[in-house]
Amino acid sequence: MRQRNRPPPRNPAAAATSPASSEAAMLRSHTPNRSGYAMLSLFAVIVYGSWSVYQYQYVDLPAPLTGEQAGKRGFSEVEAIEHVKVLAGLGPHQVGSDALELGVKYVATVAEKIKNTSHWEVEVEVDHFHVATGANIIQNGLFRGKSLVYADLDHIVLRLSPKYSSEAKENAILVSSHIDTVFSTGGAGDCSSCVAVMLELARGISQWAHGFTNSVIFLFNTGEEEGLDGAHSFMTQHPWSETIRMAIDLEAMGIGGKSGIFQAGPDPLAIENFALVAKYPSGNIIGQDLFSSGIIKSATDFQVYKEIGGLSGLDFAYTDHTAVYHTKNDKLELLKAGSLQHLGENMLAFLLHTASASTLAKIEGSGVPKDTAPDPATYFDILGMYMVVYRHGFANMLHNSVAMQSLLIWTMSLFIGGYPAAISLLLSCLSAFIMWIFSLGFSVLAAFTLSAVSSSALPYLSNPWLVIGLFGSPSFLGALAGQHIGFLILKRYISGVESKRERISSPSLRASIVKLEAERWLFKSGVLQWLFLLVLGSYYKVGSSFLALIWLASPAFAYGFLEATLSPARLPKPLKLATLLLALSAPILVSAGAIIRLLESLIGNLVRFGRNPGGTPDWMGNVIVAVLVAGVVCLTMVYLLSYVHLSGAKTSVILAALALFALSIGAVWSGAIPAYTDEYARAVHVVHVVDTRNPEKLEPSSYVSLFSITPGKLEREAEHIKEGFECGEDKTLDFVTFSVKYGCRSYNDSGSGWSDSDVPTFQINADTISENRVTEVSMDTKVAKRWALAINTEEIEDFKLTGDSEELIELGKKSTADGWHVIQFAGGKNAPTKFNLTLHWAGNSTKVPEKPDGLGESKYLLKLRTDVDRVTPKADGILKKLPPWCAIFGKSTSPLALSFLASLPADI
């Protein structure tokens, strides 16, 4: 009999383990497998990528060309650098100095040579433009409450145009920079390098201009360092200024590197042309936003061209080595090879294109195309190879579109996810807030710790990369700790939601799902904070909002492409490393270099932090850097941090950050890395002061004042000099344009080097009391051709200034700052020294009550400081003993080596 085939008996044990195997497989697929090594490697890749972007974008420079390589029509750095050597070799050449006269003569000689060697169809006109007097009254920015008066200035103006096209002279492009320097530097960077580029450009263009439809004017001005006087005198007094349709200003806020655009517009034609033809485009609207906001306390000739001339254009600046700005260390040795070649080739291509275009003639003197409202541009370069430019109208449309789509997606997501999704969204926002609080807290705590252990207020000035360890590590740890707290809060809430749903029976699988869901919400919190910044920036029309767009759109796309689920029933899986790499690629490419350069420039600018020396706490600079670093960490690392909580890298990351902080703080505490060096020096002033403002003393008070605009005390420096200096906050001093809140004084042997005939005087010529009170005052500045006068606007509502019978400042509404209006005067050797003031008192004042003693500056009607470019024996001895880590700093409001202080009381 044949047996029937029967199925084999089932194995009960095997049957029992099948569900468990399935559950184990699901658990494995929903458990992140991120080793500490993988996360640290990923972090290293991101850091290396950011550093590489910075190198390409700001460090790599083209090779310098010789004259033979460039040819007659090209740009040669080797030729241009010879001009820098001559001008910087003159030493400081401020307004009124013999050295400046030599500098002007040199530029004029080179200009004549260009004229004599130009193409036979190119007309080159050289004008030695002398300005007798003038007054620049800009009512806003750094010049609020000021009138800038100038006299006896000389400029060299070069105009290149096709010889047989008279129409070309009616529309011109202005290229401008300044020959003069401040009194403390030879100015290899600021701005001999700019003048050298212009001379070499003029030489090359003199071989091209016969094909132009517009002319090119090169303005080599003087007086820029005294308050933009040269640009103002040209725009208000030179006949060629009426033909200018576009202005290009070349500047330096350091020395060398890539010269980038930091101001453009308001009409976008110039920046669009530049982006189209520049060989190595460099520029970012971030700098423009910072400059226009007033965060960067500086001004350039571009302000005059834009506000006085109504012109549009471009403003370039060198920004390497910003710490050496206006000090002895602005020297040729720091000028990197390729710096001039970079700017020269960019400018040559731009000028050839723009001067040959017909669109320039459509621009009126206002800088705006006829019948067209200005539509400024957003611009930024990528790796110094490409420049992206789009107008604000398009930017608003793009930003609003992305913001609305993001809000729509979030609304749909919340609608699908319901109440739990809404609560999770709020908790993710809370996690971001806690992250910011902890990051800022840790970083600021590190700043105060640094101030406690360091003898210097800025211990990282000579080595800015210390900031990574000193502030980057604490802010990173704070952000990680804060976000981890948010992660725990999210995890607890989501765990409760999953328990109520009962869709997952396995406790271990449910716990894993909860962690993954919390991780995803942390990633989304980064998108939310950038969405908030995009909406905020678009509302206030901030050009730098493009950063928020990129940091929002790229991660959102990466998440949607690789991670998003359309159904809430689908269980989340671990975030892929590919998602993070895709999310960060575009933001790092576009913004990493700019962020690093921003931090670097900020640290360099801290060497001249604060308007009034000693007026801010010593820890303020550290706190500012700490807050900025924490902000950068929270904004840029929020996506990366969300991956750390479910990885094996937490311990390694924390230990590495702590070790980096410990090494950095140890290097500072031990002095292994000095705060200041010979090249990156502390900015100080040494001024011999003769003060006649104390009515109780018959003789002037004479002493040498030592003070610094770099934060920190001066005991170490005073001890090094050993000239009897006494330091303290009681050594305050009113220099009219600013006040010293902390400084040092030495009265020893300070009676020589000046005489009573140098002391300025006031004389009341008439005091008419009728319906309105009018007082006539004469002022004699004696030997000084540079001075600052403050007028008490609480007592005086208007005034008129004349010099040598010529009206310099007419009656009319004047701006005021802190109850004073300041007149700054700078002139050449033939500038006047005798002036008359007509003072119109406020209201119907006929008598001014005597102010009691102790009210400080309010008891003065007029305060005067005169500056003399003379080093007294006492000051000379101190300057020779100045520590090598200190350098004299100068700017338009700074006193020279010898200053006289005088006043007129209010109870005249």
Side-chain angles (χ1 to χ4, degrees):
M1 181 165 109
R2 195 170 68 181
Q3 280 190 321
R4 185 182 297 174
N5 290 331
R6 296 179 179 177
R10 292 193 305 168
N11 187 334
T17 57
S18 293
S21 299
S22 176
E23 181 180 309
M26 184 174 291
L27 183 61
R28 283 194 299 272
S29 67
H30 290 82
T31 301
N33 185 23
R34 302 182 196 131
S35 67
Y37 176 78
M39 289 302 299
L40 290 175
S41 299
L42 178 63
F43 186 77
V45 168
I46 292 172
V47 171
Y48 179 75
S50 301
W51 174 250
S52 299
V53 168
Y54 172 74
Q55 288 288 317
Y56 276 107
Q57 192 167 4
Y58 290 101
V59 178
D60 289 354
L61 291 165
L65 299 181
T66 64
E68 183 177 345
Q69 290 171 322
K72 291 177 64 176
R73 294 184 165 191
F75 183 94
S76 167
E77 176 176 308
V78 174
E79 297 295 324
I81 206 74
E82 295 301 319
H83 303 314
V84 181
K85 291 178 180 178
V86 172
L87 293 172
L90 297 173
H93 38 286
Q94 67 273 22
V95 170
S97 65
D98 293 335
L100 182 58
E101 289 185 359
L102 294 175
V104 172
K105 287 179 181 178
Y106 175 79
V107 172
T109 300
V110 177
E112 290 292 343
K113 182 179 179 181
I114 292 171
K115 177 180 179 179
N116 295 331
T117 58
S118 63
H119 190 279
W120 67 275
E121 290 184 288
V122 174
E123 182 179 4
V124 179
E125 301 167 82
V126 180
D127 182 25
H128 192 129
F129 179 47
H130 177 75
V131 180
T133 59
N136 180 4
I137 306 176
I138 297 178
Q139 300 290 333
N140 51 42
L142 289 178
F143 304 109
R144 184 175 65 88
K146 289 185 179 181
S147 296
L148 308 171
V149 183
Y150 49 86
D152 190 30
L153 300 180
D154 292 287
H155 317 311
I156 303 299
V157 192
L158 218 66
R159 181 163 69 178
L160 295 89
S161 57
K163 188 173 290 184
Y164 303 110
S165 176
S166 58
E167 295 83 3
K169 293 183 180 181
E170 298 303 315
N171 299 289
I173 305 167
L174 175 69
V175 183
S176 170
S177 193
H178 60 96
I179 306 173
D180 64 306
T181 70
V182 293
F183 60 87
S184 54
T185 179
D190 184 20
C191 213
S192 297
S193 59
C194 312
V195 171
V197 168
M198 286 171 56
L199 288 171
E200 179 62 7
L201 280 172
R203 182 203 60 77
I205 289 176
S206 70
Q207 308 299 322
W208 284 96
H210 55 284
F212 288 177
T213 55
N214 309 288
S215 58
V216 179
I217 295 175
F218 290 93
L219 170 61
F220 304 88
N221 71 65
T222 63
E224 190 273 350
E225 296 291 7
E226 296 296 343
L228 318 182
D229 297 337
H232 183 271
S233 63
F234 175 79
M235 291 304 300
T236 56
Q237 300 185 39
H238 198 285
W240 292 353
S241 65
E242 298 178 358
T243 68
I244 296 171
R245 304 291 177 259
M246 181 184 293
I248 311 300
D249 182 50
L250 306 185
E251 258 297 349
M253 289 183 283
I255 179 168
K258 290 187 176 182
S259 181
I261 297 169
F262 69 102
Q263 293 191 95
D267 185 80
L269 177 64
I271 188 67
E272 288 173 346
N273 282 351
F274 180 82
L276 185 66
V277 299
K279 190 174 182 180
Y280 315 104
S282 181
N284 201 306
I285 198 171
I286 297 174
Q288 180 170 318
D289 287 340
L290 291 173
F291 210 78
S292 60
S293 69
I295 293 176
I296 299 177
K297 304 293 184 182
S298 187
T300 71
D301 284 339
F302 191 70
Q303 182 176 355
V304 172
Y305 301 136
K306 188 167 65 172
E307 296 184 16
I308 303 298
L311 297 168
S312 291
L314 303 173
D315 203 1
F316 291 82
Y318 288 112
T319 55
D320 272 17
H321 306 293
T322 53
V324 309
Y325 175 73
H326 282 192
T327 70
K328 65 178 182 179
N329 294 319
D330 181 2
K331 53 190 177 182
L332 188 63
E333 290 79 2
L334 291 181
L335 185 59
K336 293 180 184 176
S339 300
L340 306 189
Q341 193 70 41
H342 173 266
L343 176 59
E345 290 196 43
N346 281 343
M347 280 296 300
L348 183 59
F350 169 76
L351 291 174
L352 293 180
H353 175 80
T354 309
S356 302
S358 59
T359 52
L360 193 63
K362 297 178 183 178
I363 305 292
E364 293 181 323
S366 64
V368 180
K370 297 178 181 179
D371 304 320
T372 305
D375 187 12
T378 293
Y379 57 92
F380 56 91
D381 72 276
I382 300 176
L383 299 179
M385 300 178 184
Y386 310 98
M387 178 164 278
V388 177
V389 179
Y390 53 92
R391 303 195 178 193
H392 281 191
F394 174 77
N396 290 335
M397 182 181 67
L398 177 62
H399 296 177
N400 292 337
S401 174
V402 171
M404 291 301 296
Q405 290 181 55
S406 299
L407 291 173
L408 179 62
I409 292 172
W410 276 106
T411 302
M412 292 298 297
S413 176
L414 295 178
F415 179 77
I416 295 173
Y419 179 77
I423 298 300
S424 297
L425 174 66
L426 293 176
L427 292 178
S428 69
C429 293
L430 177 63
S431 74
F433 178 74
I434 298 173
M435 175 186 70
W436 276 88
I437 294 299
F438 272 68
S439 183
L440 288 168
F442 280 33
S443 191
V444 170
L445 179 62
F448 282 106
T449 302
L450 183 63
S451 298
V453 303
S454 174
S455 59
S456 168
L458 302 173
Y460 41 80
L461 183 71
S462 67
N463 194 338
W465 299 111
L466 272 175
V467 167
I468 297 174
L470 293 173
F471 303 117
S473 293
S475 60
F476 178 84
L477 288 172
L480 180 60
Q483 197 185 68
H484 192 71
I485 292 174
F487 174 74
L488 295 177
I489 295 172
L490 274 165
K491 194 172 68 168
R492 182 174 180 178
Y493 173 75
I494 297 170
S495 178
V497 172
E498 289 296 335
S499 297
K500 293 178 182 178
R501 285 179 175 174
E502 298 182 350
R503 62 173 178 170
I504 304 172
S505 59
S506 169
S508 57
L509 180 58
R510 184 189 305 125
S512 182
I513 295 301
V514 166
K515 293 178 182 178
L516 295 179
E517 191 66 30
E519 178 184 64
R520 286 170 173 258
W521 279 109
L522 291 180
F523 188 94
K524 293 174 186 177
S525 70
V527 175
L528 284 170
Q529 69 177 5
W530 281 109
L531 175 59
F532 172 76
L533 291 177
L534 178 63
V535 172
L536 194 67
S538 298
Y539 179 80
Y540 288 105
K541 295 180 171 55
V542 179
S544 302
S545 298
F546 78 91
L547 289 174
L549 176 70
I550 294 169
W551 280 91
L552 164 66
S554 181
F557 170 78
Y559 185 88
F561 183 65
L562 296 176
E563 304 289 354
T565 58
L566 298 178
S567 171
R570 184 176 174 182
L571 298 180
K573 291 186 177 182
L575 291 174
K576 304 176 181 66
L577 294 181
T579 303
L580 183 64
L581 291 173
L582 181 60
L584 296 183
S585 295
I588 287 175
L589 183 67
V590 172
S591 64
I595 291 171
I596 295 172
R597 174 47 60 102
L598 175 64
L599 289 169
E600 190 178 35
S601 298
L602 171 70
I603 293 167
N605 276 289
L606 287 177
V607 77
R608 46 191 179 274
F609 178 67
R611 176 173 174 264
N612 299 310
T616 55
D618 294 345
W619 46 261
M620 184 62 72
N622 289 337
V623 170
I624 290 174
V625 176
V627 169
L628 183 59
V629 170
V632 170
V633 167
C634 290
L635 287 171
T636 61
M637 291 194 174
V638 59
Y639 301 113
L640 173 63
L641 288 172
S642 65
Y643 278 70
V644 176
H645 308 287
L646 296 182
S647 72
K650 286 197 295 293
T651 303
S652 301
V653 167
I654 292 171
L655 291 176
L658 288 173
L660 184 58
F661 174 72
L663 287 173
S664 301
I665 203 78
V668 170
W669 178 73
S670 66
I673 299 178
Y676 310 112
T677 63
D678 184 47
E679 286 189 352
Y680 296 95
R682 181 177 189 179
V684 300
H685 293 79
V686 174
V687 185
H688 193 135
V689 178
V690 179
D691 193 346
T692 67
R693 294 180 298 189
N694 191 341
E696 297 179 358
K697 292 185 178 181
L698 297 177
E699 296 294 327
S701 177
S702 176
Y703 53 87
V704 173
S705 177
L706 170 68
F707 56 94
S708 174
I709 59 172
T710 305
K713 305 303 181 185
L714 288 164
E715 280 83 357
R716 181 187 174 203
E717 287 77 7
E719 178 64 25
H720 185 277
I721 296 171
K722 297 184 184 300
E723 286 287 339
F725 276 109
E726 295 181 0
C727 304
E729 294 181 355
D730 58 330
K731 303 298 186 292
T732 58
L733 183 57
D734 182 359
F735 272 112
V736 180
T737 54
F738 66 94
S739 296
V740 176
K741 304 297 184 182
Y742 167 88
C744 306
R745 292 185 189 179
S746 175
Y747 290 88
N748 299 342
D749 305 321
S750 59
S752 61
W754 61 277
S755 65
D756 290 339
S757 62
D758 298 329
V759 178
T761 59
F762 288 111
Q763 177 69 44
I764 299 175
N765 299 323
D767 191 16
T768 305
I769 301 176
S770 57
E771 184 177 349
N772 294 304
R773 186 181 181 187
V774 179
T775 303
E776 299 284 346
V777 179
S778 61
M779 181 177 71
D780 189 348
T781 62
K782 300 298 177 67
V783 295
K785 306 295 177 68
R786 184 180 190 263
W787 50 265
L789 175 71
I791 300 173
N792 189 336
T793 54
E794 294 180 358
E795 304 291 350
I796 304 300
E797 68 177 5
D798 203 359
F799 65 87
K800 180 175 69 174
L801 176 70
T802 59
D804 285 348
S805 302
E806 182 178 354
E807 187 174 84
L808 300 175
I809 301 177
E810 62 184 13
L811 291 173
K813 186 177 181 181
K814 314 291 195 308
S815 60
T816 182
D818 301 323
W820 296 91
H821 184 91
V822 176
I823 304 172
Q824 287 182 220
F825 180 91
K829 294 180 178 179
N830 298 318
T833 58
K834 290 180 170 53
F835 304 89
N836 291 301
L837 276 167
T838 303
L839 305 175
H840 293 255
W841 293 74
N844 294 318
S845 175
T846 58
K847 182 179 180 180
V848 178
E850 183 175 354
K851 302 288 193 303
D853 291 338
L855 291 184
E857 60 185 21
S858 63
K859 66 182 178 180
Y860 297 126
L861 184 69
L862 303 176
K863 300 184 297 182
L864 175 66
R865 186 194 84 217
T866 60
D867 297 328
V868 180
D869 191 16
R870 183 196 309 162
V871 180
T872 64
K874 173 69 173 180
D876 183 58
I878 292 172
L879 288 171
K880 288 178 179 177
K881 296 178 181 179
L882 203 64
W885 64 83
C886 291
I888 299 297
F889 176 82
K891 59 179 180 178
S892 63
T893 58
S894 299
L896 299 182
L898 175 60
S899 284
F900 295 86
L901 302 177
S903 64
L904 188 67
D907 58 339
I908 57 175

